[in-house]
Amino acid sequence: MRSLGIYVHIPFCLLKCRYCDFVSFPRDGCGSFEPDAYANRVCREIEETSDEVKKGYSADSLYFGGGTPTCIGTDMLGRILLAIKRNFSVSGDAEISIEANPETVTEEKAENLRALGFNRVSMGVQSLDDGVLGKLGRVHNAEKALRSYEILRKAGFGNMNIDLMFGVPGQNMKKWEDSLDRVISLGPEHISFYSLQIEEGTPFYDEYKEGKLRIPSWDLNRSMYRLALEKLEAAGYVHYEVSNAAKPGFECRHNLKYWTMKPYLGFGTSAHSYLEGKRFFNTDGLCYVREYEENENSEDASSERMGDFVFTELRLIKGIDTEQFRELFGKDFEDVFGELLEDRKLQKYLEIKRGEDGKLCGLALSSSGLDNTNTVMQRFIQSLNL
Ligand SMILES: C[S@@+](CC[C@H](N)C(=O)[O-])C[C@H]1O[C@@H](n2cnc3c(N)ncnc32)[C@H](O)[C@@H]1O
Ligand code: SF4
């Protein structure tokens, strides 16, 4: 059987952070579509998956993301997990991850999550400076983040990720270094380090437009990024994706599926799927429906998939596998993107790998490319006329 990743979106949070545009709603006050009804809807969606898919794949990674999955009752999470296990073959060594906000972690919850079978927790810490956390609109302080980490470890979670953010209001190099040092000293198996993205529709976006959002300069942002790379590598973490590092063997199995275009199936509002070379997604909102890509065999759809391929695989530090490109699209990478590879301005952002015969065999971001991912991605996408 082919392997599959299963994603479940839990769109609830205690409170919305000031920078975040993920699909999530305040947990309390969702009217008739409160978490319990939502969990039932997701279970139904799982049951309704075609037998062909259920029988053709074996899930080796389950990922409950959000929002904040840990802000709803573990009974609801258990119901969804059970529905997955009843309907799909789940391999014995599957990675079963859940995202958590520190404020929602208690001893009882951590033990319940372990008992349900979750074996990896990804916790949003962002910073260990209370002033920075306040400016981000986080509901927890640094002390609670550290306590929750300890609680999860005590409950037996041997595979943990911590999310950090840099380039955020109120942060300077010293505060960033201090957060990094303290998080590294905890020794989580995985650390994500995200540069702040200013997303439309968030309070940060409005402040930014009004010129009121004070964030570190771009130069400082890049120095913060490089500091993270140095410290993480010195501490034995492998930098394997633009914003992700892990101890060897602890790369996130689920996210690797996204970045290498392996099959995954998403349940819940806004969840995306990629199966049999086809993409489909659920609409946003609590009463979501599934939508399919139109004209999936058209030239446009094929270009879109090539764009997705570059967009995801180029984020990996090992870069793009041009052989896989040929297998997926029946074309040579160089025939499609040859002009870009000749572009001198772009060349400094790329590591172009050629075999002894001079043929292109791989492509990765150079270290200045890592500082300019948006520029590089834009050039590739534009060249496909998307
Ligand atoms: C679903 S949340 C993680 C779990 C939980 N909801 C929490 O925040 O603690 C995913 C992560 O994406 C990152 N993130 C969200 N919005 C971002 C933005 N605008 N810029 C950079 N990182 C962002 C944060 O690090 C956050 O922890
Ligand atoms: S960062 Fe996490 S806790 Fe904050 S609003 Fe987004 S999903 Fe919710």
Side-chain angles (χ1 to χ4, degrees), residues 13 15-17 19-20 22 24 66-68 101 138:
C13 289
L15 269 183
K16 197 83 194 165
C17 305
Y19 53 86
C20 181
F22 288 31
S24 73
T68 303
N101 178 304
R138 299 287 298 176

Side-chain angles (χ1 to χ4, degrees), residues 137-155:
R138 299 287 298 176
V139 285
H140 58 88
N141 59 17
E143 194 191 337
K144 174 65 185 160
L146 295 170
R147 270 274 305 134
S148 296
Y149 181 83
E150 205 179 302
I151 289 173
L152 289 162
R153 285 300 205 195
K154 264 206 192 124

Side-chain angles (χ1 to χ4, degrees), residues 9 12-13 17 19-22 65-70 99-102 122-126 138 140 163-166 168 192 194-199 202 204:
H9 192 77
F12 302 102
C13 289
C17 305
Y19 53 86
C20 181
D21 78 337
F22 288 31
T68 303
T70 48
E99 287 180 343
N101 178 304
S122 174
M123 189 164 73
V125 169
Q126 325 308 354
R138 299 287 298 176
H140 58 88
D163 286 337
L164 290 175
M165 290 173 72
F166 63 93
V168 299
S192 301
Y194 298 115
S195 171
L196 173 69
Q197 304 295 309
I198 297 169
E199 306 287 359
T202 62
F204 270 16

Side-chain angles (χ1 to χ4, degrees), residues 164-166 173 176-177 179-181 184 191-195 220-239 242-245:
L164 290 175
M165 290 173 72
F166 63 93
M173 193 57 128
W176 172 233
E177 183 168 11
S179 291
L180 264 175
D181 284 341
I184 289 173
I191 298 180
S192 301
F193 44 108
Y194 298 115
S195 171
L220 181 52
N221 176 300
R222 292 298 86 192
S223 302
M224 288 175 167
Y225 182 64
R226 275 190 290 276
L227 182 76
L229 296 186
E230 276 163 30
K231 285 194 177 278
L232 288 164
E233 277 165 10
Y237 290 86
V238 179
H239 180 213
V242 175
S243 308
N244 287 281

